[in-house]
Amino acid sequence: MAIPVLAALASAGLLAAAMPGRIGWWPLLFVGLAPMLLFVLNSRPGRSLLAGFFFGLIYHLTLLYWILIVLGRYGGLPLGLSLPALVLLAAYMACFSAVSCFVTGLIAGRRGNRPGSAAALIWTAPVAWVGFDYLRSVLFTGFPWMDLGYGLFGQPLLIQAADLGGHHLLTFCLVLINGLMAAGLGRLGRDIRPGRRSAWPVLAAVAVLMGIGGYSVLRHQEVEASLAQARPARVAVVQGNIDQAIKWSEAARVATVDTYIGLSRPTMLEGGAELVVWPETALPFYPQKDPLIRRVIDSLAVGKAWLLTGAPLFTVTAGSGGAEQVRYWNGALLLGPDGRVGGEYAKRHLVPFGEYVPLRRWLPFLQPLVVNIDDFSAGTEKGPLVLGAMRLGILICYESIFPDIARESVERGANLLVNITNDAWYGRSSAPYQSMAMAVLRAVENRRALVRAANTGISGFVDPLGRIIDRTDIFVEAARTASVPLLDQPTPFGRGGHWFGLACAVLAGLLTVVCRPRRR
């Protein structure tokens, strides 16, 4: 039992240290999974399943520890409830790595006296890993937090192939490299020697990695040249650093608005911003009925700029029997200097138990963490908000971790992605850095600049190459202005590359069905 535990601990520790946050040693991504895959190669499928689960449990406990801050400090739950919730979430996430290791072990692992096949491992492992990453992103509303490919966010030369197959393609390459490492560590040279039939999987893996690496370098040069020809837009982001504990209090509303107005004024008068972006729910009131919105509009008239701000919204419709039905939205509002509303967007992918309670009929005693009169409703509009040459694809909060939301917005014409969020929930944890890392890949996949405004940070600007032009620290007041390029060119990811993860999931299932009888 000691060997699977050590292998799982080694991989979990190495990969956790590679992810953005306090350590962030990204080169560990190229070797971190090798101990786990080496164990899978030399073990029976059942043991691989257990080791994969233990690996996933430890890895996600270290990755998602900030759940304790969300539920405890801001949700008001005692440690006796928030800690089990964290463990249950980590255990759920671990199920996907467990099944991935099981499938890989079923095809490439040891069976009785027969040694594992390094050649099979090299290709099965990335297919299974990406396939189950994809399933984790769609099942039960999805939670694709920090797949391995996101760890490369700070290396622009290495991530350009994301416009082919999304961040899943980057994960595929990393697991492929780790599979080659595991094969080498297993000293299975007899199985992969040149001249043998089993050598082709290794040669094919090396060729694929070289091809994707070469594409990434060439694509970097090509997009960089196109940026010089792109029309620039002058955009400002404002980070109010409003304490989550007082954000929704009646007494702090005026002070909150004045903070954002004071930070925004220099960006309009001196920075020349055409558009000022405030974070998610920067307006802690309903702008449709609160006279405090006049204070905001008057400030825009001075600077002659447009404002995109997060705000709670509501609609009233006639219900059955003539009764009014009120629905609430976590929204974004585009306001002009004359007070004109240029457009609204309602968040489409809500946070379970954060913004609404699933199965409300059976859980009437639970309330969402976000302060609101009732559960938020999910929006349906996918199109961008139009402001002159800018067509804004809106991503509210953790919508930025779902590739399809950004892709669908770009498909409908967005040439600038705008991510507004309130990361105060995470405290001074690794989560704000990880959230920013995932947003970077949305820019590369779609070849669109991305503007990010967060209440407590990280706020900043990302160009279509994934380069962070400017960014703030966390938990400081800040206002930054930058010229961002407006690109309109489509990407292979948008045309069909977004199906790469699903293709891996289907292929993993087919391999399991086809290969299992042969291994009995």
Side-chain angles (χ1 to χ4, degrees), residues 44-340:
R44 294 178 177 84
R47 299 190 74 198
S48 297
L49 177 76
L50 292 175
F53 180 83
F54 187 69
F55 155 80
L57 182 65
I58 299 302
Y59 174 66
H60 287 103
L61 283 174
T62 59
L63 199 67
L64 301 174
Y65 70 93
W66 47 265
I67 292 291
L68 295 178
I69 300 174
V70 174
L71 298 180
R73 183 184 304 174
Y74 299 111
L77 294 181
L79 186 62
L81 292 178
S82 56
L83 182 57
L86 169 61
V87 174
L88 284 174
L89 177 59
Y92 166 74
M93 303 282 275
C95 291
F96 294 91
S97 59
V99 179
S100 175
C101 289
F102 175 78
V103 170
T104 303
L106 196 65
I107 298 171
R110 176 181 293 275
R111 284 302 186 91
N113 294 324
R114 180 191 62 78
S117 169
L121 174 90
I122 290 169
W123 282 101
T124 304
V127 168
W129 200 273
V130 170
F132 287 100
D133 271 358
Y134 172 81
L135 292 178
R136 179 162 51 85
S137 74
V138 296
L139 294 178
F140 308 111
T141 79
F143 189 53
W145 189 270
M146 285 309 296
D147 295 340
L148 294 183
Y150 287 123
L152 295 173
F153 82 102
Q155 310 303 315
L157 276 177
L158 301 181
I159 63 175
Q160 300 309 310
D163 75 351
L164 289 177
H167 78 280
H168 286 310
L169 181 59
L170 304 183
T171 299
F172 185 95
C173 292
L174 288 172
V175 180
L176 188 61
I177 291 171
N178 277 270
L180 289 169
M181 291 287 295
L185 291 172
R187 299 182 182 277
L188 297 176
R190 65 184 183 280
D191 196 31
I192 58 176
R193 229 178 15 246
R196 298 283 298 268
R197 290 180 59 187
S198 55
W200 73 264
V202 179
L203 298 177
V206 173
V208 166
L209 290 171
M210 291 180 64
I212 292 176
Y215 172 88
S216 191
V217 173
L218 293 175
R219 189 68 169 137
H220 188 283
Q221 297 172 352
E222 179 183 340
V223 175
E224 190 169 33
S226 68
L227 293 181
Q229 308 299 321
R231 181 196 186 282
R234 195 73 175 163
V235 182
V237 295
V238 178
Q239 181 173 301
N241 192 34
I242 307 299
D243 189 343
Q244 188 65 28
I246 65 170
K247 180 178 176 66
W248 294 96
S249 68
E250 189 74 19
R253 290 192 312 144
V254 174
T256 296
V257 170
D258 285 346
T259 295
Y260 279 107
I261 291 175
L263 290 169
S264 302
R265 188 171 289 115
T267 68
M268 295 183 287
L269 297 178
E270 302 164 20
E274 305 169 61
L275 172 67
V276 179
V277 182
W278 291 359
E280 176 190 16
T281 59
L283 301 184
F285 55 84
Y286 290 96
Q288 295 122 306
K289 65 177 184 179
D290 198 305
L292 193 54
I293 190 64
R294 189 74 248 171
R295 199 183 193 101
V296 177
I297 294 171
D298 290 343
S299 71
L300 297 176
V302 174
K304 306 296 184 185
W306 283 74
L307 171 68
L308 178 75
T309 179
L313 305 173
F314 69 91
T315 57
V316 181
T317 57
S320 59
E324 291 185 340
Q325 181 181 12
V326 183
R327 301 181 71 184
Y328 300 93
W329 318 86
N330 184 354
L333 189 65
L334 184 62
L335 286 173
D338 57 356
R340 179 163 53 94

